[in-house]
Amino acid sequence: MIRLGAGRLERIVAVGAHCDDIAIGAGGTLLTMCLARPGVRVDALVLSGGGGEREEEERAALAAFCPGADLRLTVLKLPDGRLPARWEEAKTAVEELRARTEPDLVLAPRTDDAHQDHRGLAKLMSTAFRDHLVLGYEIVKWDGDLGRPAAYQPLSPEAAEEKARLLQEHYPSQHHRPWYDREAFLGLARIRGIECHTRYAEAFAVTKLTLDLGE
């Protein structure tokens, strides 16, 4: 298996259409990176959930998932499930995010995610962050849209367990959902770990990747 490092990693962008998207899709990766690089800057943008319980959950959760990081989180109030109808507002938010940071890595939804909000945000990211490494995280759900990922971030057993614990602790508003449980989160992480010869992992889609193998 070929392992390519991201090299310098001082600034990260993480985006989600909804509160908890980032944590579900890339929470273990954020934990791993932030613990390894104290002080790393994380610019996070969430398009919906602002102004209420969901924003409070998100702020507490991402602070826990980004220990020691310079976390800068924006949570907007776009209506859930209506991103296509609010395209201009979403596009403006992404462009404003792009204007204030030059990230080494971008964590975003997959462009082939079945949820229209996830998919729409992913398409905005690929145009705003044209010259960046964009990793598309996956979110398990009833649509059955999990595919064949191209990139993996191995997670230590401690990181995988901590991710599952933090998801349960910080998003009580989601506990009623039948798929929102420790088994689901660790189960997918175990499968992705098998695929990359480790115990646990998070997996990502990569739309475009430029290599520099001459050095």
Side-chain angles (χ1 to χ4, degrees):
M1 176 176 294
I2 298 174
R3 297 178 181 268
L4 299 177
R8 180 178 63 90
L9 194 57
E10 298 176 355
R11 294 192 176 197
I12 302 165
V13 158
V15 300
H18 317 99
C19 296
D20 78 17
D21 285 355
I22 296 171
I24 292 173
T29 296
L30 283 173
L31 274 171
T32 300
M33 291 189 296
C34 292
L35 289 172
R37 298 171 176 83
V40 65
R41 175 169 162 177
V42 179
D43 287 277
L45 170 67
V46 179
L47 295 183
S48 64
E53 174 191 23
R54 294 286 276 146
E55 179 175 353
E56 293 177 4
E57 289 181 340
E58 186 75 342
R59 290 193 178 280
L62 288 191
F65 276 104
C66 301
D70 177 10
L71 174 62
R72 308 180 187 194
L73 170 62
T74 300
V75 183
L76 302 181
K77 299 180 180 180
L78 273 65
D80 186 357
R82 297 291 185 271
L83 188 148
R86 307 292 286 269
W87 187 258
E88 286 301 320
E89 293 172 69
K91 187 173 188 295
T92 297
V94 169
E95 289 175 345
E96 289 176 350
L97 172 65
R98 175 67 185 92
R100 64 177 178 264
T101 186
E102 185 63 49
D104 305 305
L105 174 66
V106 177
L107 301 171
R110 297 178 296 125
T111 55
D112 58 351
D113 192 296
H115 194 296
Q116 60 186 2
D117 290 355
H118 300 173
R119 189 169 61 251
L121 177 55
K123 292 179 179 178
L124 286 172
M125 296 302 293
S126 64
T127 56
F129 292 87
R130 291 178 178 271
D131 299 315
H132 304 79
L133 176 59
V134 180
L135 298 181
Y137 56 72
E138 55 185 358
I139 296 178
V140 62
K141 50 188 176 299
W142 73 272
D143 303 84
D145 64 349
L146 297 180
R148 299 185 63 181
Y152 296 83
Q153 171 58 52
L155 303 178
S156 68
E158 295 78 13
E161 290 282 357
E162 182 70 352
K163 173 185 175 178
R165 186 188 71 79
L166 291 175
L167 285 169
Q168 290 294 325
E169 176 183 343
H170 288 290
Y171 296 104
S173 68
Q174 304 304 297
H175 288 180
H176 68 284
R177 299 186 183 278
W179 55 267
Y180 195 95
D181 58 35
R182 179 177 180 274
E183 279 186 299
F185 301 133
L186 285 180
L188 179 59
R190 181 70 186 104
I191 290 171
R192 296 318 189 195
I194 291 171
E195 293 172 350
C196 67
H197 295 169
T198 189
R199 182 67 184 175
Y200 297 107
E202 284 178 340
F204 301 89
V206 180
T207 302
K208 185 181 292 187
L209 176 65
T210 300
L211 302 177
D212 182 3
L213 304 177
E215 296 184 2

